[in-house]
Each structure stands twice: as structure tokens, then as C-alpha cells.
Amino acid sequence: MVNRKILSLVFVRESTKILLGFKKRGFGQGRWNGFGGKVEQGETIEEGAIRELQEEAGVLSHDLSKIGLLEFEFVGEPTILQVHVFTTTSYIGLPTESDEMKPQWFEVDRVPFDEMWPDDSLWFPLMLKGAKFQGYFLFHGHHNILKYNLEEVERF
Ligand SMILES: Nc1nc(SCCc2ccccc2)c2[nH]cnc2n1
């Protein structure tokens, strides 16, 4: 019986830079990523994304654009992660380290893919060119993609 866990993932952009966070603990620890996490009951996915961005980076945005839908399955685990990807260029607050994440700005042509989830180097180019995308990735462990599909979509 497969079940899905709904997660948000937010990327903040500033001209040629993108804000990433170094995950200090928990799932994805030791990797740079956008800001996000589990969407709780009683909140919309976008509300969850706004909440996680605030909690993890100290940045408040009310103008998120939905740009991607990614599903991650891990061999031997029944829960599929359904990750809703958002981006924003309008926010208030200075990115601040939390107990979960250490934020840092990166030039978009200097993204540290070797310290990120392996799928990111596949869909970041779509995000960076302003496309909307949908994908599925089957992982074996946290380093090995057994198979995937990824496509651009017109709209969500
Ligand atoms: N970029 C990326 N992110 C995730 S999980 C993102 C959602 C999340 C989950 C838990 C805490 C915070 C954020 C991935 N999983 C497999 N490949 C992946 N790539």
C-alpha cells in the first residue's frame, strides 16, 4: 500500500543568485537544498511553504509561484515524497541560520550540485530557465537514481 507525504520546497531568487540552505539535521542532512518540509493538516501547500521558509531561513514571502511537482520513491520504502516546488523573488527579512538550515546565496552558475540531491542537477536547469516541470525519481538509497522521468509542463 503506497502512501504519499506532501512536502514543500521553496527557492528564493535575487537577480543572478539563488538562496540555498545547508541542512544541518534530519532528512537530507549535509546537503544544500531549498527550504521546505512537511505540509501540516489544516494548511494549504502554499501556506506550508511560506511557514517553512519563515521557520528555516527567517524570510517571509507571500508571493510564491508554483513551478514544479516532483515525486521521489525509495526502494523498499512505502512512502512516496510528493514535493511541491515554489520560487519567489519578493520577500522580506535577512536570511538567518536556524537549527535546521544554514542559508547562503549562490550564483546560479555556481550551484554546488556535488553537495545536493542527485536529481537536482537534472531539474535545476528547467527551474533556472523559468520553465514549469513535473518529474518522478526512483532512488536506491539517497545517492543512486535507478530511473526517472522529467518533463516540462505548460502550467499547474
Ligand atoms: N531537492 C530535493 N529535495 C528533496 S526532499 C525536499 C523536501 C524536504 C523534505 C524534508 C525536509 C526539507 C525539505 C529530495 N528528495 C529526493 N531528491 C530530492 N531533491
Side-chain angles (χ1 to χ4, degrees):
M1 204 292 266
V2 162
N3 56 37
R4 278 178 170 71
K5 186 174 183 182
I6 314 295
L7 298 158
S8 64
L9 187 61
V10 180
F11 293 94
V12 181
R13 301 286 300 274
E14 186 74 66
S15 74
T16 61
K17 292 186 191 321
I18 187 167
L19 186 67
L20 299 175
F22 187 80
K23 194 85 172 20
K24 295 158 61 175
R25 62 181 67 168
F27 186 81
Q29 177 174 350
R31 286 177 161 166
W32 295 94
N33 204 348
F35 301 90
K38 190 173 179 304
V39 177
E40 305 296 348
Q41 284 171 357
E43 68 181 0
T44 66
I45 296 170
E46 187 167 349
E47 286 166 348
I50 291 168
R51 176 181 52 76
E52 290 284 358
L53 181 64
Q54 166 86 39
E55 285 173 7
E56 291 184 350
V59 158
L60 181 60
S61 176
H62 278 298
D63 179 24
L64 299 185
S65 301
K66 173 78 177 288
I67 57 165
L69 177 61
L70 299 170
E71 292 212 326
F72 301 113
E73 184 167 8
F74 298 84
V75 169
E77 291 180 31
T79 303
I80 293 180
L81 305 184
Q82 183 179 84
V83 178
H84 297 254
V85 187
F86 298 87
T87 191
T88 186
T89 55
S90 75
Y91 64 93
I92 48 175
L94 191 69
T96 309
E97 181 165 355
S98 62
D99 57 358
E100 285 274 325
M101 293 289 248
K102 182 168 76 90
Q104 185 175 313
W105 290 103
F106 291 85
E107 288 295 331
V108 291
D109 58 358
R110 311 263 297 274
V111 171
F113 289 115
D114 52 344
E115 292 182 272
M116 295 169 75
W117 285 95
D119 52 285
D120 292 20
S121 48
L122 296 168
W123 53 267
F124 255 61
L126 303 182
M127 171 168 66
L128 296 178
K129 76 176 185 180
K132 291 184 174 60
F133 52 91
Q134 183 157 339
Y136 164 82
F137 298 81
L138 177 61
F139 273 84
H140 183 262
H142 286 190
H143 293 80
N144 212 333
I145 296 171
L146 295 177
K147 66 174 176 180
Y148 76 95
N149 44 61
L150 178 61
E151 59 180 344
E152 293 191 35
V153 296
E154 288 304 311
R155 67 190 61 72
F156 277 106

